[in-house]
Amino acid sequence: MIRREIGSLDRCDALFAVVLCLGVNAGCSNPSADSCAPSDQDGVIGGANVVLMNVSDTAFAVGGVDSGSTQPNITVQNSSTVTLTLTNVGSRPHDLLIQCIPSGAPAGCSTTSCFPSGANFPALAPGQSMTATFATPAVEGAYPFNSDEPGDSAAGLVGEFNLM
């Protein structure tokens, strides 16, 4: 479709269309971007989200530090922007690492879907907070996250980033 319309564009717009076309198809060996595009189950894409989360020595919890929440899972739309603030309310350092999931895409496309590296948090000292803003992947699903600091695996510091 872009190729047919390119004749009516000025030089700057034509260059943008070529770059857009190349960028859309970069993830596939098949030149059809549609064959690599993930399906969207709920028909809603994007949005902006502000998420407050705290981590103790025993659990992640969505909500402000004094919210009383015990919910470890975050649910947002796929292809959205998230501003996540993580606060360590525990007595030792904790990080947050989001795992990749299978993309379910056909052969020739990326086999995994991952959050950008900026969505992962380094170890935060007790009482420390950090905020990161990032885009969620287009592939819907449950992306597990955890803290891999010493002792955290045994404590069960896990949760899920659920993309709808």
Side-chain angles (χ1 to χ4, degrees), residues 51 53 62 71-76 82 84 145 160-163:
V51 179
M53 176 173 260
V62 176
Q71 175 56 254
N73 301 329
I74 301 168
T75 302
V76 295
V82 173
L84 174 63
F145 61 80
E160 289 181 339
F161 233 112
N162 296 302
L163 301 187

Side-chain angles (χ1 to χ4, degrees), residues 82-95:
V82 173
T83 299
L84 174 63
T85 299
L86 179 65
T87 302
N88 183 351
V89 296
S91 63
R92 60 182 196 269
H94 302 291
D95 58 10

Side-chain angles (χ1 to χ4, degrees), residues 64-133:
V65 172
D66 295 322
S67 70
S69 170
T70 59
Q71 175 56 254
N73 301 329
I74 301 168
T75 302
V76 295
Q77 282 301 140
N78 59 323
S79 300
S80 65
T81 300
V82 173
T83 299
L84 174 63
T85 299
L86 179 65
T87 302
N88 183 351
V89 296
S91 63
R92 60 182 196 269
H94 302 291
D95 58 10
L96 184 142
L97 304 170
I98 306 169
Q99 310 304 311
C100 298
I101 64 170
S103 68
C109 300
S110 178
T111 59
T112 59
S113 177
C114 303
F115 275 68
S117 61
N120 294 310
F121 285 71
L124 301 177
Q128 187 178 16
S129 291
M130 181 179 163
T131 300
T133 299

